[in-house]
């Protein structure tokens, strides 16, 4: 956020805060999934089927998921597992970082949050926005560069959907549409985290086959 209205994506990406989590410059945070994707360092896996998934720590493995289901062209979610390891050693809290990307935006100067006039229909949102689990929009409001309530995990907020704050609605151009995307049953924070993905446009996984019947 170059105009100083908010904190952008704070310390969750070295491109946003080169001073790092401890503000010394000695422990710059990891690059976020979007930055790594732009550099060609990762190729996020598209979640095209409902089911249970796992992610290893982004500090150690080149893993992330992308969700495009029911989003307009150029808008999508990215999911990565951020843990206090490697360049993220000073991370406030480990968990799933869920990013809302709108490639139609040119920059991260238009912070948007509840309480703004006509938000979110006013079109104010970052190009690369971290969906902060606590729903306080601390980054957009410039209150901090990231805190313990931002990521999703089983000891805190373990679900995001169209009914939560923040939610999984699309918002490109100020047009708000439900995507039906839900990420739920998020596990406790750890080197490997699991979650359940579903979408209104994707059929749920088939039920397991019944156990074989025993002979009389």
């Amino acid at each position: 956020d170059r105009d100083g209205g908010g904190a952008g994506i704070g310390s969750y990406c070295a491109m946003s805060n080169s001073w790092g989590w401890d503000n010394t410059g000695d422990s710059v945070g990891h690059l976020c999934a979007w930055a790594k994707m732009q550099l060609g360092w990762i190729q996020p896996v598209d979640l095209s089927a409902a089911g249970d998934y796992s992610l290893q720590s982004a500090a150690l493995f080149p893993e992330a998921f992308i969700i495009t289901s029911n989003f307009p062209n150029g808008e999508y979610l990215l999911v990565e597992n951020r843990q206090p390891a490697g360049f993220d050693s000073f991370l406030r809290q480990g968990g799933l970082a869920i990013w809302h990307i709108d490639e139609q935006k040119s920059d991260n100067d238009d912070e948007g949050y509840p309480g703004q006039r006509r938000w979110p229909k006013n079109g104010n949102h970052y190009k690369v926005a971290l969906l902060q689990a606590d729903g306080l929009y601390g980054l957009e409001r410039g209150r901090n560069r990231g805190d313990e309530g931002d990521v999703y995990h089983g000891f805190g907020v373990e679900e995001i959907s169209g009914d939560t704050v923040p939610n999984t609605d699309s918002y490109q151009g100020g047009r708000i549409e439900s995507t039906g995307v839900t990420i739920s049953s998020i596990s406790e924070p750890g080197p490997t985290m699991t979650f359940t993905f579903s979408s209104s446009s994707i059929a749920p996984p088939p039920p397991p086959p019944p156990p074989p019947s025993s002979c009389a």
Side-chain angles (χ1 to χ4, degrees):
D1 194 329
R2 299 169 300 176
D3 62 7
I9 54 178
S11 298
Y12 289 99
C13 190
M15 301 298 290
S16 176
N17 178 21
S18 60
W19 289 100
W21 287 100
D22 63 354
N23 292 315
T24 65
D26 295 329
S27 57
V28 179
H30 216 63
L31 287 174
C32 66
W34 180 82
K36 286 192 250 182
M37 186 174 71
Q38 300 305 305
L39 292 167
W41 293 0
I42 62 172
Q43 293 183 329
V45 175
D46 195 349
L47 289 183
S48 57
D52 298 328
Y53 293 88
S54 65
L55 272 174
Q56 299 184 92
S57 172
L60 303 174
F61 297 91
E63 295 184 356
F65 288 114
I66 185 170
I67 300 171
T68 59
S69 174
N70 294 333
F71 282 95
N73 186 45
E75 187 176 1
Y76 52 90
L77 302 181
L78 287 171
V79 185
E80 61 176 343
N81 178 7
R82 300 290 290 268
Q83 297 296 322
F87 287 108
D88 271 345
S89 293
F90 289 87
L91 188 71
R92 300 286 186 259
Q93 170 66 54
L96 292 186
I98 301 177
W99 302 90
H100 193 157
I101 314 298
D102 181 4
E103 299 286 3
Q104 298 298 318
K105 283 278 189 177
S106 60
D107 52 45
N108 259 30
D109 289 344
D110 294 331
E111 63 276 352
Y113 48 82
Q116 282 186 347
R117 185 174 180 270
R118 296 184 61 248
W119 186 86
K121 294 182 179 180
N122 60 10
N124 285 350
H125 56 264
Y126 287 147
K127 176 175 183 172
V128 180
L130 180 69
L131 297 178
Q132 296 139 76
D134 57 17
L136 299 179
Y137 291 80
L139 294 171
E140 285 85 353
R141 296 176 187 272
R143 292 176 175 171
N144 55 57
R145 293 181 179 271
D147 61 27
E148 294 81 357
D150 293 339
V151 294
Y152 291 81
H153 56 88
F155 291 146
V157 181
E158 56 185 37
E159 178 174 331
I160 183 172
S161 69
D163 298 322
T164 59
V165 178
N167 59 44
T168 57
D169 292 349
S170 66
Y171 52 29
Q172 196 173 89
R175 181 175 180 177
I176 313 305
E177 299 286 351
S178 172
T179 64
V181 167
T182 296
I183 299 172
S184 60
S185 301
I186 299 172
S187 69
E188 299 174 0
T192 299
M193 292 189 64
T194 60
F195 64 92
T196 300
F197 165 72
S198 63
S199 170
S200 60
S201 65
I202 297 176
S213 59
S214 58
C215 296

